[in-house]
Amino acid sequence: MNRAIHVAAACTVDVVGVRNSAGTTVDWQQLDVDPQRARIAWREEFGGDARAFRRLDPTTRMVWIAAAACGLDELPEPLRERTGLVLASASGCLAADLRFAAGLHVTAGIEPALFAYTLPSTALGEVAIRHRLRGPTLFLSVPSGREAAGVDAGLDLISAGEADAALVLCGGWLPAVVAEPVGAVAETRIDALLLRLAEASATPTISPSDGAALLEWARSETAGHGDRPADPA
């Protein structure tokens, strides 16, 4: 099935802050937030209700922020029924794995609530619960530099009729302070795209087979703090 798709929003969450294609910029330093050291607090700039934010692990918190920056709070209710979630990451839930494992060897150090976050798809489940999304959920473990596979997967979900929209997250959150002691590669950036079926008046559309180019385009949009994106040629 040939289904026309467009990009509704894009954002980047990294060590500097949050930037999205609507022109919103959040600077961690100005907010006294340091996500590299797990000091991550929900701010009013992110919008919406975040009463559950405190119980999330750091990686899931960053995924939540990326989802909010892509405007999921604004999705119409009928579309939520058919909005999928995709996360492509090289680090996955390794930060939670390491923290939980360390707690097993420290007296009174076990964190039972953390165990749920040692599954890499849990972050997507938390986003789905918060935004009432009921479409398919997919986590992809990919080599560093191959995160665009997530964009391809999101495009495929819509093209195949399994979803009418998809939030695609590429990257992860494994700060150097956590990664280096175990010889892992740090990953402190999440790029997100909200893909939707194009409305009859929305032209041009994008190619469902061009995930890598689309991810690079989205990164350039957030780097420039531009307006809401038009679809790439």
Side-chain angles (χ1 to χ4, degrees), residues 96 100 111-123 126:
F100 186 80
E111 299 178 79
L114 185 61
F115 183 70
Y117 298 98
T118 61
L119 185 68
S121 60
T122 298
E126 294 283 8

Side-chain angles (χ1 to χ4, degrees), residues 26-34 39 41 43 45-46:
V26 176
D27 186 286
W28 298 134
Q29 188 172 12
Q30 292 178 354
L31 295 178
D32 192 28
V33 171
D34 187 357
R39 288 176 46 215
R43 301 294 184 179
E45 288 86 352
F46 305 143

Side-chain angles (χ1 to χ4, degrees), residues 184-196:
V185 177
E187 187 175 31
T188 51
R189 177 179 176 128
I190 300 173
D191 295 293
L193 298 87
L194 179 59
L195 307 176
R196 291 182 58 172

Side-chain angles (χ1 to χ4, degrees), residues 7-25:
V7 183
C11 81
T12 295
V13 178
D14 59 16
V15 295
V16 177
V18 183
R19 306 175 299 281
N20 70 14
S21 53
T24 300
T25 300

Side-chain angles (χ1 to χ4, degrees), residues 28-195:
W28 298 134
Q29 188 172 12
Q30 292 178 354
L31 295 178
D32 192 28
V33 171
D34 187 357
Q36 295 195 80
R37 290 173 172 78
R39 288 176 46 215
I40 310 167
W42 188 265
R43 301 294 184 179
E44 62 181 14
E45 288 86 352
F46 305 143
D49 180 10
R51 285 174 291 182
F53 193 74
R54 287 186 178 182
R55 67 174 170 77
L56 307 178
D57 76 305
T59 298
T60 304
R61 289 185 181 191
M62 300 306 281
V63 169
W64 256 42
I65 291 169
C70 274
L72 287 194
D73 283 334
E74 306 303 320
L75 283 182
E77 194 62 37
L79 185 59
R80 296 174 193 264
E81 191 73 32
R82 290 182 53 80
T83 295
L85 292 163
V86 179
L87 172 59
S89 175
S91 61
C93 60
L94 183 55
D97 291 342
L98 293 172
R99 180 173 162 185
F100 186 80
L104 297 176
H105 304 287
V106 178
T107 303
I110 297 176
E111 299 178 79
L114 185 61
F115 183 70
Y117 298 98
T118 61
L119 185 68
S121 60
T122 298
L124 297 180
E126 294 283 8
V127 171
I129 292 169
R130 178 178 183 244
H131 295 281
R132 303 184 304 281
L133 307 180
R134 303 174 186 88
T137 298
L138 176 65
F139 172 80
L140 297 176
S141 180
V142 298
S144 181
R146 299 291 299 276
E147 291 83 5
V151 184
D152 289 325
L155 291 169
D156 287 345
L157 286 176
I158 300 174
S159 297
E162 296 181 43
D164 292 336
L167 177 70
V168 179
L169 302 119
C170 300
W173 204 259
L174 183 68
V177 68
V178 178
E180 290 177 356
V182 295
V185 177
E187 187 175 31
T188 51
R189 177 179 176 128
I190 300 173
D191 295 293
L193 298 87
L194 179 59
L195 307 176

